[in-house]
Amino acid sequence: MIEIFNPGWLAIIVDNGRYGYGDIGVPPSSALDNFAYSTLNYLTGNHTDSPVMEVMGSGFAIMFDVDITCAITGAKVSAYINDVPLKSWTSFKATKGSILRVKEVTEGLRYYVGFSGDMVLEKAIESFSTNLECRFGGYKGRPLMKGDIIEFNNVRIEEENAVAERYIPSMNPPHLLRTTEGPEIGHFTPNSLEDFLKNHSENTYSVSTKLNRTGIRLEGKPLLFREKVDKSIISEGILPGTIQIPGDGQPIIMLYERSVGGYARIATVARIDIDMLAHLKPKDKVLFQMLGIEQAETLWVKKKRKYLMTYFG
Amino acid sequence: MNLYRYGESGIRIVFGNSIDLETHEKVRRYYYFLKSLRLKEFIDIIPSFNSCVINFNNNAISFENIVSLITERHGELDAIEIPQPAQHEIPVMYGGECGPDMEFVCEYSGLSDNEVIEIHTSVIYTVFTVGFMPGFPYLGTLDKRLYAPRLETPRLKVPEGSVGLAQLQTGIYPFESPAGWRIIGKTDKKLFDYKKEPYSLLQIGDKVRFIKI
């Protein structure tokens, strides 16, 4: 078992997500950084859909009451086991009685912690992911807290494994988000759209403090709606990465906790950049670029190949 | 019906431009049609007021191929069986602590609270869509006399079971949540239970009547 000494700002259990229930309003609640998530399960030798911890903030600390292989991916952190520094994106052996501490997050926002073993947790609606808003899934439907204990089945010591530096994505701002056209792109004035994509210093957007797993609010030059266009739409299904523009003109990038929305959808973050959304933090600068759908697809196919390289050299 | 691409892995199938029962019936039929195809490439199907949004696995199939798979089977659309809508009665405690916006709705509509309750309970509502949060039903159509704008600043928290209205819709919050609708009452009925299938008490197309308790 392990014991949570300190959950950092927020530590929750996530997995591949909860799909197939969009018709009853159930959102995916999946890990936000999919590459970091699946790489973590690869490093720990777990199933590709195993639950892991998604953590924000420094201070995170756990105590091991078992010998087990552990790894951290996602945001780059300075972490220590007892007082020995560790490398992110590299698996390591934790021995019974040792303490893992994350002292600082040096790049990015969310990091993932996983173990070579099956955390004893109950699935809710076919997934281990925590739905924080409705309090189900994960660990008792809530964030991890000091004193929580997680038991394991199938504990293993795996061979140490690492992701080559060149495959670890950079998470430093400014974040370039490549997008494809959203269904309501035509609701905005041409000038305003041009500004949205201009990326001049006076037009850049910055991440506001209003940020959670549902969405990220940005601040910048407000988008202008064309005359005679309704500012809201009839609520409709929305997919992760959709950029909605509410009446005040400030973009909201939707993540994995909503399945319908009623604001105009100007664009959708291309799949190639969607994992980056996990790492946008307050004050970070964000730049937008519009891709054609085929361009986006081509980039994604290339990236997929790179993913495979990560795992199979 | 119009079919559009939505990002790399989305398809929007749009049936109209307004919230009405005719459009709703088209969406509902199409939703059951899509389900009946049992395509493993469908990750999620999200029906709403005037459209179905499909999230498909673009690692496994191209947009073009999935669209032709759907359109090839269009002939089945009229023949598929769609379930009879279930009927539900939702007991509601109106006003007072349970309905902090009752006073506003009365003032805005010029009706007494008894009249508001009378009108709210006299309609059999249709579940146009379930969303915003798990199990949250968008119910319509609300009697025009009860039309009320959304709150300018949403409340940070309303309790589970809060019954609200906004514009020409009414709905029930299945969980404690932030809320922009005008809350006029509260029900003890459980709208969503993750431990028990079908999880959501209400499904698209179901009929709902509120009962004053």
Side-chain angles (χ1 to χ4, degrees):
Chain A
M1 60 155 221
I2 56 168
E3 182 177 343
I4 309 294
F5 275 13
N6 184 335
W9 297 337
L10 181 71
I12 61 170
I13 304 290
V14 294
D15 66 7
N16 259 337
R18 195 171 276 118
Y19 288 94
Y21 298 96
D23 58 341
I24 51 169
V26 176
S29 304
S30 59
L32 293 189
D33 182 342
N34 193 264
F35 178 60
Y37 165 75
S38 38
T39 305
L40 180 60
N41 278 331
Y42 165 74
L43 289 175
T44 55
N46 282 343
H47 292 291
T48 51
D49 58 353
S50 296
V52 306
M53 295 175 187
E54 182 180 272
V55 190
M56 284 200 289
S58 52
F60 177 81
I62 49 177
M63 198 272 285
F64 294 90
D65 196 32
V66 62
D67 290 350
I68 199 166
T69 298
C70 178
I72 304 175
T73 62
K76 293 174 195 170
V77 295
S78 60
Y80 298 81
I81 195 131
N82 293 332
D83 287 316
V84 183
L86 295 169
K87 266 193 93 179
S88 285
W89 297 79
T90 301
S91 61
F92 55 90
K93 185 181 165 189
T95 49
K96 189 172 166 141
S98 63
I99 295 171
L100 169 70
R101 286 179 205 280
V102 173
K103 293 209 171 140
E104 204 189 345
V105 181
T106 52
E107 194 181 316
L109 180 61
R110 290 178 171 92
Y111 53 97
Y112 295 83
V113 186
F115 314 92
S116 300
D118 305 329
M119 289 193 252
V120 179
L121 297 163
E122 254 178 70
K123 274 191 176 180
I125 317 185
E126 296 177 37
S127 162
F128 291 108
S129 269
T130 318
N131 185 315
L132 276 180
E133 194 172 53
C134 309
R135 307 224 143 226
F136 63 78
Y139 186 91
K140 299 178 182 174
R142 62 163 173 81
L144 293 167
M145 296 193 307
K146 182 179 161 64
D148 284 346
I149 284 170
I150 296 179
E151 305 280 353
F152 285 89
N153 288 327
N154 187 24
V155 169
R156 305 175 312 275
I157 299 293
E158 296 274 339
E159 215 171 291
E160 288 184 15
N161 206 340
V163 175
E165 194 68 37
R166 65 183 182 281
Y167 294 127
I168 302 173
S170 155
M171 295 157 214
N172 281 323
H175 306 287
L176 173 68
L177 297 180
R178 287 162 286 186
T179 65
T180 58
E181 288 189 358
E184 284 79 40
I185 191 167
H187 287 205
F188 301 92
T189 66
N191 282 343
S192 186
L193 266 175
E194 206 177 296
D195 283 347
F196 177 69
L197 300 167
K198 217 179 224 167
N199 298 336
H200 282 176
S201 56
E202 68 268 26
N203 286 331
T204 37
Y205 290 90
S206 56
V207 179
S208 79
T209 51
K210 290 177 186 155
L211 165 168
N212 56 26
R213 291 175 48 90
T214 303
I216 303 166
R217 278 179 179 265
L218 302 179
E219 285 165 349
K221 194 171 177 182
L223 270 298
L224 296 177
F225 288 82
R226 291 162 78 146
E227 279 177 49
K228 293 180 191 160
V229 157
D230 280 337
K231 286 195 175 171
S232 55
I233 60 163
I234 296 172
S235 286
E236 191 179 289
I238 46 170
L239 302 182
T242 298
I243 305 173
Q244 292 190 309
I245 311 293
D248 66 7
Q250 302 289 1
I252 307 173
I253 309 174
M254 300 306 291
L255 300 175
Y256 291 86
E257 305 295 338
R258 274 283 178 283
S259 57
V260 296
Y263 295 130
R265 296 159 293 184
I266 192 171
T268 305
V269 175
R271 192 143 177 197
I272 185 160
D273 288 332
I274 211 160
D275 287 346
M276 191 47 63
L277 299 175
H279 300 293
L280 269 53
K281 50 187 192 302
K283 294 187 182 151
D284 280 3
K285 296 286 183 205
V286 176
L287 314 171
F288 292 106
Q289 190 187 332
M290 194 65 77
L291 301 178
I293 200 99
E294 280 167 20
Q295 257 178 308
E297 281 180 324
T298 311
L299 284 168
W300 173 243
V301 169
K302 270 194 200 154
K303 183 161 177 176
K304 244 188 339 194
R305 239 175 261 145
K306 194 170 159 188
Y307 274 15
L308 292 175
M309 292 287 287
T310 316
Y311 301 140
F312 305 110
Chain B
M1 172 205 119
N2 287 302
L3 199 147
Y4 306 97
R5 188 153 192 183
Y6 168 17
E8 286 148 272
S9 57
I11 305 170
R12 296 172 64 229
I13 303 161
V14 183
F15 299 88
N17 236 332
S18 60
I19 300 178
D20 58 62
L21 279 175
E22 198 186 325
T23 312
H24 161 77
E25 285 300 339
K26 287 182 193 162
V27 170
R28 188 163 173 267
R29 175 165 289 277
Y30 208 88
Y31 162 67
Y32 282 105
F33 162 68
L34 289 172
K35 276 191 33 159
S36 75
L37 300 178
R38 296 178 186 280
L39 292 177
K40 61 178 189 317
E41 292 88 355
F42 285 172
I43 295 169
D44 235 330
I45 309 169
I46 310 168
S48 59
F49 296 98
N50 60 336
S51 80
C52 287
V53 166
I54 301 169
N55 182 7
F56 70 95
N57 179 359
N58 68 329
N59 281 332
I61 192 168
S62 72
F63 173 75
E64 290 73 20
N65 284 346
I66 205 155
V67 168
S68 43
L69 274 179
I70 298 170
T71 45
E72 269 166 27
R73 308 240 335 233
H74 259 181
E76 297 166 30
L77 187 58
D78 291 328
I80 62 143
E81 278 197 38
I82 56 176
Q84 269 304 102
Q87 319 266 339
H88 306 267
E89 287 190 345
I90 308 280
V92 179
M93 290 158 284
Y94 284 97
E97 272 181 26
C98 294
D101 293 317
M102 182 59 99
E103 211 175 313
F104 173 88
V105 173
C106 289
E107 233 167 76
Y108 195 84
S109 62
L111 300 165
S112 71
D113 47 1
N114 277 333
E115 287 169 320
V116 169
I117 296 165
E118 168 69 33
I119 296 168
H120 195 250
T121 52
S122 67
V123 175
I124 294 173
Y125 298 99
T126 299
V127 178
F128 277 90
T129 184
V130 181
F132 169 63
M133 56 171 22
F136 181 99
Y138 289 86
L139 300 167
T141 310
L142 188 71
D143 190 300
K144 285 190 177 69
R145 286 172 290 174
L146 297 188
Y147 182 98
R150 283 182 171 78
L151 289 168
E152 293 237 336
T153 311
R155 283 199 172 81
L156 290 176
K157 244 182 209 180
V158 297
E160 175 178 331
S162 291
V163 175
L165 48 85
Q167 293 165 313
L168 294 178
Q169 298 184 64
T170 178
I172 311 158
Y173 289 88
F175 298 90
E176 180 181 276
S177 120
W181 290 24
R182 307 283 173 174
I183 307 301
I184 59 168
K186 189 170 172 292
T187 183
D188 286 336
K189 196 109 178 168
K190 199 155 179 59
L191 272 285
F192 193 90
D193 184 354
Y194 72 88
K195 288 183 178 157
K196 219 169 69 208
E197 282 190 82
Y199 309 123
S200 177
L201 175 69
L202 305 174
Q203 314 289 324
I204 183 170
D206 283 2
K207 305 293 177 188
V208 172
R209 186 167 190 152
F210 292 109
I211 308 285
K212 176 185 186 272
I213 50 166

